[in-house]
Amino acid sequence: MEKALEDEFIHPSSCGLVITFPEGTLKSLNASFNIEIAYDDLRGILHSWAIPYPKDKFK
């Protein structure tokens, strides 16, 4: 997955970041594949200003 990942596969949603691997991107699958990572799980990975929540939630 890491080798197949492209910046344009990553999109924000209201609940987190969505990573969509288009069909044919992952050799082990013959379909597209989506992963959603909740913003709560991205604390400490992303800057607090990059997460669309009130700043006091991340203290």
Side-chain angles (χ1 to χ4, degrees):
M1 279 189 186
E2 183 179 350
K3 289 181 182 180
L5 183 62
E6 300 285 338
D7 292 344
E8 60 265 18
F9 297 171
I10 304 170
H11 303 278
S13 75
S14 61
C15 299
L17 292 180
V18 177
I19 304 170
T20 301
F21 291 92
E23 184 174 345
T25 305
L26 299 173
K27 295 179 182 179
S28 61
L29 294 175
N30 291 328
S32 63
F33 184 72
N34 296 320
I35 301 168
E36 184 167 355
I37 305 170
Y39 288 121
D40 286 341
D41 294 335
L42 294 169
R43 285 186 286 164
I45 297 171
L46 296 179
H47 291 284
S48 61
W49 55 262
I51 298 176
Y53 284 130
K55 291 182 181 181
D56 62 338
K57 181 171 179 152
F58 293 100
K59 289 183 178 179

